[in-house]
Amino acid sequence: MLRRLVVTFFSDAPSLWWQHFNDDDPTRLLFTSCLLVFILSLFTWILFIKKSRNKYPPLPPGPRGLPLVGNLLSLDPQLHTYLTTLARNYGPFLTLWLGKKLTLVVTSQTLAREILKDHDVIFANRDVPASAVQSSYGCRDVAWSQYGAEWRMLRKVAVHEMLSNTTLDSVYSLRRQEIRRTIGYVHSQAGTPMNIGEQMFLTILNVITNMMWGGAVTGGDRASLAAEFRQVIAEMTQLLGTPNISDFYPGLARFDLQGIEKKVKVLVKRLDVIFDGMIDQRSKINGEGGTSAGDGAKQSKDFLEFLLQLKDEGDAKTPFTMTHVKALLMDLVVGGTDTTSNALEFAMAEMMNKPEVMQRVKQELDTAVGRNNKLEESHIPKLPYLYAVMKEALRLHPILPLLVPHSPSETCIVGGYTIPKGARILINVWAIQRDPSIWESPLEFDPERFMNGREDFSGKEFEYFPFGSGRRHCAGISMAERMFMFLLASILHAFDWRLPEGERVDLSEEFGIVLKKKIPLVVIPTPRLSDPTLYDCE
């Protein structure tokens, strides 16, 4: 209607104005002139508004949502597979409204490259869940802190100093001690069904806590401390993976309607007590002039001692505080246990399901190590096929299937669509690493595909990036690689493994903050080394 009126006016206005221009009545001429100016202004304003609305392309397509709740009610608990199915219908870049939270899902290596490489700085921020704010001491850690000077300082501490190859080499004796304890324990349970994922979790937790403050905890204190950590980590992981109204409706976050943040705070306080106790013990040990290596371990500078030294020598511009020390310890405990133990369980399950792969791994171990020697971390470079097993397990079962959510610091255009500032970006690496246009027989477990040097964990190739890419690339890759390979090689070198009678391997997954097996893998160990003394802890 407005368009018709404007067209009619502009077709008749010139003749009407000219007619009044030749009229002797100045009032009518003034009125007509003012009306023409008004209509011209109105038309210009309409064009401006229309143009401003079209300044950016539209959002990516996606399923229609309901008022207020958006797409929340249609979500499937197995979110990684659900989003993969949606991508087949709506394309590799799709929009979901989870309550009031705009979520964009990427299921394409090309789009992932554009976000994590071409626009890396814009997408270097995190979309932080309310529960993670509490668990990370207010985002003072590497995983959840926003991009800036503080994050760069923490990243430097984590990657180039605390988790550098030099530092990891220095705590090797602490790492080896715990893995040999596990070998001794499994030997004592030979012939008995064992939940391998649970055992791997306990081992990794002990390894990490030993590397964190190995010289500060001894004897019975070590066992009670591990039990405390197990309980807290289990509860915290569950809370971090629980859907939270505070995240879907940010305006309601201050009310904490589900009490999730309150529960996380309680857990953080429990860990805080442990951290404070360990810091006090470490300070006393250092004050007495040395490092005490517990239970006969070789003297090593553990992570806590290293971090406290950094705090004392910190940069005045971006100080490294005690809060940062605790936040980094939290990252190690929460981020390094479930992730690595679940990855190990998937790798074991895939090998149990393919006996020819397991047999080839054992042959490689016998050649590189032999059955009359204890395995050392120095043997790992001689195990290329086992390394390929790890890479293939992480291809099929990336532990963070949607990575850690990114968030743009400004509105930008990717793939011809608009990504508004502050949106949540989920990158479905699980789907990309199973894409049949990229991978031959993508659902088959085939370590051979990695034996030609194809892909590494650098995140530079976007058909395979289980640890992410760009500035927010996982800071703990070096430690994860070492832990995975040393522990997996050790249990495969020392034992043969079989399923209980009548059981079959189930490879189904369960989505959560980290991907895990839906049905735990239970297997029975049988010693395979030539000399029983090789199973001694020392």
Side-chain angles (χ1 to χ4, degrees), residues 332-373:
L332 283 170
V333 173
V334 177
T337 47
D338 259 3
T339 52
T340 308
S341 61
N342 286 343
L344 281 162
E345 187 176 12
F346 275 121
M348 279 290 290
E350 291 285 4
M351 284 189 290
M352 297 295 294
N353 197 48
K354 273 204 162 184
E356 65 273 20
V357 173
M358 179 73 83
Q359 185 59 34
R360 183 169 172 181
V361 168
K362 290 178 181 178
Q363 289 173 354
E364 185 177 66
L365 284 163
D366 288 346
T367 300
V369 185
R371 296 199 190 188
N372 57 349
N373 290 314

Side-chain angles (χ1 to χ4, degrees), residues 101-130:
K101 188 67 181 180
L102 174 62
T103 302
L104 305 179
V105 184
V106 172
T107 315
S108 155
Q109 63 167 328
T110 302
L111 293 170
R113 179 187 299 274
E114 197 169 343
I115 288 172
L116 298 178
K117 183 178 180 181
D118 300 344
H119 299 293
D120 187 14
V121 174
I122 293 175
F123 288 92
N125 276 340
R126 293 298 193 200
D127 183 76
V128 188

Side-chain angles (χ1 to χ4, degrees), residues 60-105:
R64 187 183 299 274
L66 298 173
L68 297 178
V69 297
N71 306 106
L72 272 176
L73 299 182
S74 62
L75 293 183
D76 189 289
Q78 300 305 310
L79 192 58
H80 60 310
T81 57
Y82 172 72
L83 294 178
T84 303
T85 301
L86 283 184
R88 297 192 189 106
N89 297 326
Y90 296 96
F93 202 4
L94 62 94
T95 297
L96 293 174
W97 283 98
L98 305 182
K100 294 296 182 181
K101 188 67 181 180
L102 174 62
T103 302
L104 305 179
V105 184

Side-chain angles (χ1 to χ4, degrees), residues 112-334:
R113 179 187 299 274
E114 197 169 343
I115 288 172
L116 298 178
K117 183 178 180 181
D118 300 344
H119 299 293
D120 187 14
V121 174
I122 293 175
F123 288 92
N125 276 340
R126 293 298 193 200
D127 183 76
V128 188
S131 54
V133 174
Q134 303 300 330
S135 68
S136 60
Y137 290 86
C139 300
R140 311 306 294 275
D141 66 339
V142 175
W144 296 108
S145 58
Q146 298 298 4
Y147 182 66
E150 183 182 43
W151 175 81
R152 284 190 291 270
M153 178 271 292
L154 291 169
R155 177 84 181 186
K156 180 181 178 182
V157 169
V159 176
H160 300 297
E161 298 180 38
M162 185 175 71
L163 297 177
S164 68
N165 286 327
T166 300
T167 306
L168 290 173
D169 286 343
S170 74
V171 294
Y172 170 55
S173 62
L174 300 176
R175 192 161 57 249
R176 178 178 57 187
Q177 181 186 56
E178 290 299 339
I179 289 180
R180 288 189 174 173
R181 282 178 175 161
T182 293
I183 296 301
Y185 172 77
V186 174
H187 185 258
S188 71
Q189 302 297 308
T192 305
M194 175 179 294
N195 183 326
I196 195 68
E198 182 178 286
Q199 186 57 50
M200 294 303 96
F201 176 86
L202 295 176
T203 301
I204 292 165
L205 176 61
N206 288 336
V207 168
I208 288 177
T209 53
N210 200 14
M211 290 192 298
M212 282 164 60
W213 45 62
V217 187
T218 59
D221 291 340
R222 188 186 300 275
S224 61
L225 188 63
E228 175 82 356
F229 266 116
R230 282 201 301 274
Q231 182 181 0
V232 172
I233 291 171
E235 292 180 31
M236 186 172 292
T237 302
Q238 182 180 7
L239 290 171
L240 288 171
T242 301
N244 193 349
I245 291 174
S246 296
D247 299 326
F248 302 139
Y249 301 93
L252 300 176
R254 56 179 175 163
F255 300 111
D256 188 20
L257 296 175
Q258 294 165 262
I260 290 176
E261 293 97 298
K262 182 180 179 181
K263 293 174 183 176
V264 173
K265 280 183 182 179
V266 171
L267 295 175
V268 170
K269 285 181 179 178
R270 287 173 63 182
L271 289 181
D272 216 37
V273 170
I274 297 174
F275 292 155
D276 285 337
M278 293 303 102
I279 289 167
D280 288 344
Q281 288 191 43
R282 169 56 61 204
S283 298
K284 289 177 182 177
I285 291 173
N286 291 346
E288 293 168 359
T291 300
S292 172
D295 295 343
K298 180 181 176 182
Q299 288 190 356
S300 301
K301 180 184 286 189
D302 53 52
F303 286 164
L304 179 57
E305 184 177 5
F306 185 78
L307 290 174
L308 292 176
Q309 182 179 332
L310 284 176
K311 182 185 75 69
D312 295 336
E313 300 171 354
D315 184 355
K317 276 189 175 181
T318 310
F320 184 63
T321 67
M322 189 62 76
T323 300
H324 292 129
V325 171
K326 294 178 182 179
L328 287 177
L329 293 177
M330 184 77 78
D331 275 353
L332 283 170
V333 173
V334 177

